[in-house]
Amino acid sequence: MQIKGITFIGTRTPARGAMVTFLRDVLQLQPATGGDADFFALPDGSSFAVTEPWELDPAERTIGFLVDDVAAAASELHAAGILTDEVATSESQRYLHFRAPDGQLYELVENL
């Protein structure tokens, strides 16, 4: 697998509304379209995402690594003993989540 860059960094927080206001009004980031999160476009083409905590997981950060083929990258993770969730698809990306040996949440993202 070859990581091509970081496509986004995100945070899950119970203060989602306050974060969105802060990012938009104080940091002056531009809102971008997204799925179940509020995305803000950054000048280098990456984005910052804000969403609410998942029921089973605490608030935390995540990083999305850009790859050419999420399915192939998932196979490599599985071969290395890393569990992933199923590949999901949005209008513009395919992606999956996994926890690395540090216990932190990461994503692999393929642009469509």
Side-chain angles (χ1 to χ4, degrees):
M1 151 183 5
Q2 181 181 8
I3 301 298
K4 304 189 77 135
I6 293 176
T7 185
F8 78 92
I9 296 175
T11 186
R12 295 190 303 205
T13 174
R16 181 177 179 175
M19 277 299 294
V20 166
T21 300
F22 170 75
L23 294 167
R24 183 190 63 228
D25 298 347
V26 178
L27 298 186
Q28 298 183 13
L29 296 178
Q30 296 300 310
T33 59
D36 58 351
D38 291 293
F39 284 89
F40 292 85
L42 300 173
D44 68 356
S46 64
S47 61
F48 188 84
V50 181
T51 190
E52 295 173 10
W54 293 349
E55 221 173 280
L56 301 176
D57 286 324
E60 66 182 336
R61 308 281 185 270
T62 185
I63 297 173
F65 292 109
L66 183 63
V67 296
D68 285 329
D69 184 337
V70 165
S75 293
E76 291 184 44
L77 287 175
H78 297 158
I82 303 293
L83 300 176
T84 70
D85 62 2
E86 297 295 321
V87 174
T89 303
S90 70
E91 290 181 18
S92 60
Q93 298 174 326
R94 290 177 9 130
Y95 58 94
L96 62 78
H97 303 90
F98 67 96
R99 290 204 182 269
D102 66 359
Q104 299 300 308
L105 183 69
Y106 296 91
E107 291 187 37
L108 295 179
V109 179
E110 171 189 341
N111 289 327
L112 299 176

